[in-house]
Amino acid sequence: DAMVIQNPRYQVTQFGKPVTLSCSQTLNHNVMYWYQQKSSQAPKLLFHYYDKDFNNEADTPDNFQSRRPNTSFCFLDIRSPGLGDAAMYLCATSRDGQKNEKLFFGSGTQLSVL
Amino acid sequence: GDSVTQMEGPVTLSEEAFLTINCTYTATGYPSLFWYVQYPGEGLQLLLKATKADDKGSNKGFEATYRKETTSFHLEKGSVQVSDSAVYFCALSDAGGTSYGKLTFGQGTILTVHP
């Protein structure tokens, strides 16, 4: 029944070692989002796609990249993780990105950087 | 830019107590307002929403009214249960241009309900 699936649930990487987080959806939604949530803070939008149209937030570090090879999948690449990148990463979707639509969230990937 | 401010937590209540979690917002346009809930080990899920001034969103005994004059969207429940223990996020969406429904969140309020 899971509609937005994130793998893995927990990811451990080393300082500076590239890491990829994945997200898939069975909803056929047009918009996919990546949020970063640090402990006791608000989820912060990194970027989002409308179909293949990529939208980066102005304050998202260059270290963070994303790919959406098809409607169902979206990836978050962290090129050189630092200790400050340890966080929960949330993937979400919405059907058409209208402001009154709800977002569907995955369970998140908890990233640790050693 | 847009912002959302929630009351500081954590909030600890006894079962059947009345709950209020305050939320105020700043937005340039006419946003839609949401409350999302995150149960332990799960992703965020929509609790309720309101899309215009004076609308009331409600679900599972929770209510919130969109107050444009006070820029607020406070969450209330008359009688909380242990199963309501979770983190509650207030959020707004002020989509336009390439915003595509992106949400701006408050920092979240942890609610713990004791039997």
Side-chain angles (χ1 to χ4, degrees):
Chain A
D1 285 319
M3 296 176 287
V4 182
I5 304 160
Q6 291 188 245
N7 285 306
R9 183 73 176 88
Y10 299 94
Q11 176 74 56
V12 180
T13 191
Q14 292 178 337
F15 183 94
K17 183 176 181 181
V19 64
T20 295
L21 310 182
S22 71
C23 177
S24 64
Q25 55 137 336
T26 60
L27 298 163
N28 205 34
H29 282 177
N30 286 312
V31 191
M32 295 186 79
Y33 311 82
W34 279 105
Y35 283 85
Q36 179 192 62
Q37 184 182 16
K38 295 187 176 180
S39 181
S40 303
Q41 295 184 22
K44 178 179 177 298
L45 184 66
L46 296 173
F47 24 60
H48 65 289
Y49 280 91
Y50 185 96
D51 194 16
K52 293 189 190 309
D53 181 21
F54 177 71
N55 297 276
N56 200 29
E57 294 299 295
D59 57 354
T60 298
D62 292 340
N63 197 25
F64 290 84
Q65 305 284 321
S66 185
R67 297 170 283 135
R68 189 178 185 187
N70 54 52
T71 301
S72 300
F73 286 87
C74 195
F75 300 97
L76 170 61
D77 300 310
I78 309 176
R79 291 191 299 185
S80 181
L83 299 178
D85 297 327
M88 175 72 82
Y89 290 89
L90 301 170
C91 175
T93 72
S94 74
R95 188 180 59 192
D96 290 313
Q98 300 298 312
K99 70 177 182 181
N100 59 348
E101 289 180 13
K102 75 176 188 179
L103 269 60
F104 293 78
F105 284 84
S107 297
T109 294
Q110 182 68 51
L111 177 68
S112 299
V113 181
L114 303 180
Chain B
D2 297 344
S3 67
V4 177
T5 302
Q6 285 180 239
M7 66 183 288
E8 294 283 334
V11 174
T12 303
L13 296 172
S14 297
E15 207 164 25
E16 299 184 1
F18 184 85
L19 169 70
T20 299
I21 301 177
N22 289 338
C23 172
T24 57
Y25 68 90
T26 302
T28 53
Y30 298 92
S32 293
L33 301 175
F34 304 82
W35 279 99
Y36 280 79
V37 59
Q38 186 174 30
Y39 298 103
E42 299 183 13
L44 279 74
Q45 55 187 276
L46 179 68
L47 180 60
L48 53 84
K49 70 176 184 181
T51 59
K52 61 183 187 295
D54 300 325
D55 268 1
K56 178 187 283 188
S58 61
N59 186 26
K60 299 181 181 179
F62 290 89
E63 293 183 339
T65 300
Y66 189 142
R67 301 285 188 201
K68 191 170 186 298
E69 64 276 14
T70 54
T71 61
S72 65
F73 193 55
H74 305 321
L75 183 68
E76 296 182 338
K77 186 175 185 182
S79 177
V80 293
Q81 306 299 314
V82 172
S83 57
D84 294 326
S85 298
V87 184
Y88 292 81
F89 291 92
C90 186
L92 70 82
S93 175
D94 199 8
T98 58
S99 295
Y100 296 123
K102 65 181 184 181
L103 292 173
T104 300
F105 286 94
Q107 72 269 32
T109 301
I110 299 172
L111 171 66
T112 303
V113 181
H114 292 296

